[in-house]
Amino acid sequence: RNARMLAEHGMPVEELLDHARINLDVCKADAEIVIKRLQQMRAKMTEEASMAAQREMQQEQLQRKKQEKELPVSPKTAPRKEAPTQDDYALAQEMQRSAMASGEQGDFDSAASQLKVVLKMKRGHYGEDTANGDLVFVLSCLGYLSALLNNLPAAVKWYDESLAMQRRIPGVVPADYAKT
């Protein structure tokens, strides 16, 4: 409507096009700002969910320790560890997908913190000392993210743990990268 009024009053078409291009650039910049803010909000929400899950796990551990102290331990009264459910594993898988998406978007800090929670959940599912390809993948991803975040000592630690676990999986022979 404004462009029609300007054209009727004799403004040159070139100036109208320039104004339209400027308005388009401003709209693109505004859209980029909104997208960036939405990404920041998503990362913050993911981080808060991760922290809430960690707090919940810590509270459950404290609750179990408290119950263990209150009850005399005998074979009949010893607290049983509840096995992780399939829902817990599904939640870990969903959180892993979210971490991968964060990493693809360049939010490496969020991806790493989510993967640490995923690792704890999957270790609970498979068992602390179990060697499993799923755990190897998460450990390798943590090593890669640590390297991207320029935390090389942590990257080496994650990669070493991944390699050691690969060696414990029957039938799996990890590549010897030192020879290449």
Side-chain angles (χ1 to χ4, degrees):
R1 194 166 95 190
N2 290 340
R4 188 182 317 143
M5 284 179 46
L6 291 172
E8 289 173 359
H9 294 295
M11 184 173 246
V13 174
E14 293 82 20
E15 286 184 37
L16 287 174
L17 287 173
D18 287 340
H19 285 292
R21 285 186 190 110
I22 290 169
N23 286 337
L24 178 63
D25 290 341
V26 168
C27 288
K28 285 181 182 178
D30 288 345
E32 288 174 4
I33 290 170
V34 169
I35 289 170
K36 191 176 212 176
R37 182 65 183 136
L38 287 172
Q39 289 172 338
Q40 290 171 342
M41 289 171 57
R42 179 178 180 262
K44 182 71 173 170
M45 289 171 52
T46 303
E47 181 181 335
E48 288 173 358
S50 172
M51 291 172 57
Q54 287 177 338
R55 281 193 302 271
E56 186 176 318
M57 288 172 61
Q58 289 172 347
Q59 287 176 346
E60 288 174 5
Q61 289 173 349
L62 290 174
Q63 185 82 14
R64 285 187 200 124
K65 287 181 181 180
K66 184 178 177 183
Q67 288 174 349
E68 288 173 4
K69 288 180 182 179
E70 292 174 359
L71 295 173
V73 178
S74 72
K76 292 181 180 178
T77 61
R80 289 186 226 151
K81 286 187 176 180
E82 291 183 31
T85 65
Q86 196 62 24
D87 291 340
D88 295 336
Y89 182 76
L91 179 62
Q93 287 293 94
E94 184 59 35
M95 189 171 244
Q96 183 173 332
R97 281 190 284 280
S98 175
M100 294 298 151
S102 294
E104 287 173 4
Q105 294 174 355
D107 192 357
F108 304 131
D109 287 317
S110 175
S113 66
Q114 290 178 61
L115 279 178
K116 287 176 185 175
V117 173
V118 168
L119 181 63
K120 286 180 186 178
M121 293 172 79
K122 287 191 175 188
R123 279 187 170 154
H125 177 76
Y126 292 117
E128 282 294 320
D129 297 324
T130 303
N132 180 287
D134 199 12
L135 295 172
V136 168
F137 178 75
V138 174
L139 291 167
S140 294
C141 288
L142 283 165
Y144 181 69
L145 287 169
S146 296
L148 290 175
L149 291 167
N150 206 27
N151 186 350
L152 300 182
V156 169
K157 175 188 141 302
W158 291 119
Y159 281 133
D160 282 343
E161 192 173 344
S162 172
L163 189 59
M165 186 175 287
Q166 286 180 48
R167 289 182 177 135
R168 293 189 349 239
I169 298 174
V172 175
V173 179
D176 187 359
Y177 293 106
K179 293 180 182 176
T180 60

